[in-house]
C-alpha cells in the first residue's frame, strides 16, 4: 500500500518441481503466490469474487514476500504481503509481518473502503493486471475451502484476533488490543489499553456489555444494556476516525429494554451479521436474529426469533456467544450461581430443530465457576475456536484457551493466562 515513492527490493521466487515424464503435467507450484492465495482466502477474499485481484495486488506490492518492507518519502513504512502502511497503527509490526494477520488487515482495509481496492496504488495504476494470470493459477491450486470462521465477537481492529473491551475500575470503557503476535509479549494477548473513554460513568451506566459485528463490516461493534433500560449499539469507527477510536457515538438505540438484564452478541446463523441473545428479568432467554442488510439503514433487532420460557432465572450470572465448536456458528455459554459453566452447541441447521439454535447443554463444568461474575467468548488465539475470558470476584482476569483441537472432548480445562490485578473491573467483552 504505497504512500509515496519507496525503494522496495523484492525477489518473487517461483519454485519449479521436478515432474516425471508423463503425458499430463500437474501445475507447477508458485510458493509466494500460493501463500497469498491461502491467507487471502482465510481472511475473507473469495475465489469467485475478489481473491484473484487481491493476490495480484500483493504480487505487485511485495512479490508476496511476508517480510517485504517499503520506506516512503513521508516517513511511513509499508509492511508485509499487502504492504500495510504504518499509518494504520491498529495493526502492529508483528501483525503485518505475519502472513495471515497481514491478509486479515488487508481485508479489513478493503472492507473499510466500501469493499474496494482503492487504497493500493498498484490497483489504481493498473500494475496489478500483469500478475492476474499468476494469481489465477495460484487460486486454481487451492484445495478444499477453509472452514468458515466467526470473527464477529471481540475483534475491534479487524486483524482476526479478538481484542478485550472492559469497563475499568475507574469507570471507563476501555479496549485492550490483542498483542499475542508481538514477540516481546511472549504469546500473552493483553498488555495495555489501546483506547479508552474520558467518561468515567460506565460502571454506573452499564448493566451488561458485548462486542460483535452487528453491521456486517467485519469489525466488532459495541452493545450495552444501560441501567436506564436502553439497549445501545455503537458502530465501530476505527477505520474512519483519524485516531482509530472505535466507539464514539450511538448508532442505534432501543428504549424499551428495562426487562432485560444480560446480553450477548454473535453470529448465530452465519450470515455475517451478529445476532443477539438476552436474559430477561422474568427468567427467559430470547434470541434475536439480525435483520439488517448492508447499507439498508434498518435497525437490526426487531423481535425475538425464539423465546426460551424457563430455565434462565436469577441463577444465571452471565451469558456469552461465540464459535466454541469452530463451525462458523455462534454457540452459547452461561455461568450459574451453583458454579456451573455450560455450553449450548448451536444446532440451528439440524433436522427437526425448526431454526432453534440452542436446545440443550452439550458440554459443561459442574463446579468452580461461582467466583466468576462476567464472561465473554471470542477467538483470542486466532485458531478459529472461541476462547473464554472471565473476570472473578477476587479481581483476576482469566483467559481460557479453547483446547478442543487437542483434547477432542473438552473446551476449557484451565486458564492459559491470568492477570491478578484487575480488581474493580465490572465487565469484559
Amino acid at each position: 500500500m504505497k504512500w509515496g515513492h519507496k525503494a522496495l527490493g523484492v525477489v518473487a521466487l517461483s519454485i519449479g518441481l521436478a515432474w516425471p515424464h508423463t503425458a499430463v503435467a500437474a501445475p507447477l507450484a508458485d510458493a509466494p503466490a500460493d501463500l497469498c492465495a491461502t491467507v487471502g482466502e482465510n481472511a475473507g477474499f473469495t475465489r469467485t469474487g475478489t481473491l484473484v485481484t487481491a493476490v495480484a495486488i500483493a504480487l505487485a506490492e511485495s512479490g508476496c514476500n511476508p517480510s517485504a518492507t517499503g520506506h516512503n518519502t513521508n516517513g511511513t513504512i509499508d509492511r508485509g504481503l499487502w504492504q500495510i502502511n504504518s499509518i494504520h497503527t491498529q495493526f502492529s509490526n508483528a501483525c503485518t509481518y505475519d502472513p495471515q494477520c497481514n491478509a486479515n488487515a488487508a481485508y479489513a482495509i478493503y472492507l473499510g473502503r466500501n469493499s474496494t481496492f482503492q487504497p493500493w496504488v498498484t490497483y489504481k495504476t493498473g500494475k496489478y493486471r500483469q500478475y492476474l494470470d499468476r494469481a489465477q493459477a495460484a487460486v486454481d491450486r487451492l484445495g478444499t475451502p477453509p472452514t468458515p470462521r466467526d470473527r464477529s465477537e471481540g475483534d475491534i481492529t479487524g486483524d482476526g484476533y479478538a481484542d478485550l473491551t472492559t469497563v475499568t475500575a475507574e469507570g471507563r470503557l476501555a479496549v485492550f488490543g490483542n498483542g499475542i503476535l508481538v514477540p516481546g509479549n511472549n504469546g500473552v494477548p493483553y498488555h495495555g489499553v489501546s483506547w479508552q473513554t474520558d467518561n468515567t460513568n460506565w460502571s454506573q451506566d452499564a448493566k451488561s456489555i458485548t462486542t460483535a459485528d452487528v453491521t456486517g463490516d467485519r469489525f466488532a461493534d459495541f452493545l450495552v444494556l444501560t441501567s436506564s433500560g436502553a439497549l445501545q449499539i455503537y458502530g465501530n469507527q476505527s477505520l474512519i476516525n483519524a485516531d482509530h477510536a472505535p466507539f464514539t457515538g450511538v448508532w442505534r438505540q432501543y428504549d424499551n429494554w428495562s426487562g432485560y438484564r444480560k446480553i450477548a452478541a454473535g453470529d448465530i446463523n452465519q450470515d455475517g451479521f451478529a445476532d443477539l441473545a438476552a436474559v430477561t428479568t422474568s427468567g427467559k432467554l430470547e434470541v434475536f436474529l439480525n435483520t439488517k442488510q448492508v447499507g439498508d439503514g434498518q435497525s437490526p433487532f426487531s423481535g425475538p426469533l425464539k423465546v426460551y420460557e424457563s430455565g434462565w432465572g436469577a441463577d444465571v450470572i452471565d451469558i456469552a456467544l461465540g464459535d466454541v465448536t469452530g463451525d462458523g456458528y455462534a454457540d452459547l455459554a452461561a455461568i450459574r450461581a451453583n458454579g456451573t459453566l455450560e455450553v449450548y452447541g448451536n444446532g440451528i441447521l439440524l433436522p427437526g430443530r425448526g431454526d432453534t439454535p440452542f436446545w440443550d447443554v452439550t458440554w459443561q463444568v459442574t463446579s468452580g465457576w461461582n467466583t466468576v461474575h462476567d464472561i465473554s467468548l471470542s477467538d483470542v488465539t486466532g485458531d478459529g475456536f472461541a476462547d473464554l475470558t472471565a473476570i472473578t470476584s477476587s479481581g483476576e482476569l482469566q483467559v481460557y484457551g479453547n483446547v478442543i483441537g487437542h483434547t477432542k472432548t473438552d473446551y476449557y480445562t484451565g486458564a492459559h493466562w491470568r492477570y491478578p490485578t484487575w480488581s474493580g473491573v465490572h465487565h469484559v467483552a
Side-chain angles (χ1 to χ4, degrees):
M1 185 182 299
K2 299 182 176 69
W3 291 74
H5 176 73
K6 65 179 179 183
L8 173 60
V10 178
V11 179
L13 300 177
S14 296
I15 300 175
L17 301 181
W19 299 100
H21 295 288
T22 56
V24 178
L28 295 177
D30 179 348
D34 291 346
L35 171 63
C36 279
T38 298
V39 297
E41 182 175 43
N42 288 339
F45 296 112
T46 62
R47 299 184 189 188
T48 57
T50 53
L51 184 57
V52 171
T53 299
V55 174
I57 289 170
L59 286 166
E61 291 279 340
S62 71
C64 282
N65 178 352
S67 61
T69 301
H71 296 275
N72 301 308
T73 55
N74 64 359
T76 61
I77 299 174
D78 297 328
R79 303 162 296 177
L81 297 175
W82 273 270
Q83 292 290 273
I84 306 301
N85 190 268
S86 57
I87 195 172
H88 298 289
T89 56
Q90 70 271 43
F91 305 121
S92 67
N93 281 338
C95 171
T96 53
Y97 288 117
D98 174 86
Q100 187 59 65
C101 202
N102 187 283
N104 296 344
Y107 188 66
I109 292 168
Y110 163 82
L111 289 177
R113 289 293 297 271
N114 298 316
S115 298
T116 72
F117 289 104
Q118 289 301 312
W120 285 272
V121 170
T122 55
Y123 176 79
K124 291 191 288 188
T125 63
K127 182 180 178 181
Y128 79 100
R129 293 192 183 96
Q130 63 187 279
Y131 298 93
L132 284 172
D133 288 345
R134 189 174 163 195
Q136 182 67 65
V139 171
D140 290 344
R141 284 191 294 270
L142 287 171
T144 303
T147 301
R149 300 175 63 185
D150 176 17
R151 292 196 182 102
S152 69
E153 178 140 2
D155 185 10
I156 309 302
T157 62
D159 66 357
Y161 293 81
D163 309 295
L164 180 65
T165 302
T166 71
V167 175
T168 69
E170 298 79 21
R172 302 179 193 276
L173 181 67
V175 174
F176 290 73
N178 190 327
I180 199 168
L181 294 181
V182 176
N185 291 348
N186 298 315
V188 178
Y190 306 123
H191 282 265
V193 173
S194 59
W195 174 84
Q196 64 181 347
T197 62
D198 294 328
N199 179 3
T200 58
N201 295 325
W202 284 91
S203 55
Q204 300 101 283
D205 294 343
K207 287 170 56 178
S208 182
I209 69 172
T210 185
T211 55
D213 180 15
V214 175
T215 60
D217 63 359
R218 289 284 290 269
F219 290 80
D221 307 299
F222 175 71
L223 299 87
V224 56
L225 182 62
T226 72
S227 57
S228 62
L231 172 66
Q232 296 178 336
I233 305 172
Y234 289 70
N236 191 323
Q237 303 290 301
S238 58
L239 277 186
I240 298 174
N241 293 329
D243 60 356
H244 305 299
F247 310 125
T248 55
V250 175
W251 172 65
R252 292 287 186 273
Q253 177 165 318
Y254 302 80
D255 294 321
N256 56 346
W257 277 64
S258 58
Y260 298 89
R261 61 184 190 86
K262 296 293 179 182
I263 58 171
D267 191 358
I268 292 172
N269 61 353
Q270 205 193 71
D271 66 351
F273 296 84
D275 309 299
L276 184 67
V279 175
T280 73
T281 55
S282 60
K284 300 177 183 180
L285 174 71
E286 297 184 356
V287 175
F288 299 76
L289 287 189
N290 191 326
T291 57
K292 183 187 184 324
Q293 296 297 319
V294 175
D296 68 2
Q298 295 179 5
S299 295
F301 308 119
S302 58
L305 164 79
K306 174 66 179 177
V307 178
Y308 302 79
E309 297 288 348
S310 62
W312 296 90
D315 68 312
V316 176
I317 299 173
D318 199 19
I319 62 171
L321 286 174
D323 185 11
V324 175
T325 60
D327 63 357
Y329 293 80
D331 309 294
L332 175 70
I335 50 173
R336 297 184 182 266
N338 64 0
T340 300
L341 166 67
E342 301 170 339
V343 173
Y344 295 74
N346 189 331
I348 196 169
L349 294 184
L350 295 179
R353 293 293 177 90
D355 293 331
T356 301
F358 312 120
W359 273 59
D360 204 353
V361 175
T362 54
W363 182 86
Q364 66 179 339
V365 177
T366 57
S367 63
W369 287 81
N370 53 310
T371 63
V372 172
H373 65 79
D374 210 89
I375 61 171
S376 70
L377 289 174
S378 55
D379 186 5
V380 176
T381 60
D383 65 354
F385 296 86
D387 309 296
L388 188 148
T389 301
I391 187 74
T392 71
S393 55
S394 63
E396 183 174 69
L397 179 74
Q398 302 175 347
V399 182
Y400 292 74
N402 190 327
V403 297
I404 189 64
H406 302 288
T407 68
K408 308 301 180 185
T409 57
D410 295 307
Y411 294 108
Y412 310 113
T413 58
H416 287 68
W417 300 284
R418 295 176 182 267
Y419 302 77
T421 57
W422 281 58
S423 296
V425 172
H426 298 272
H427 304 287
V428 292

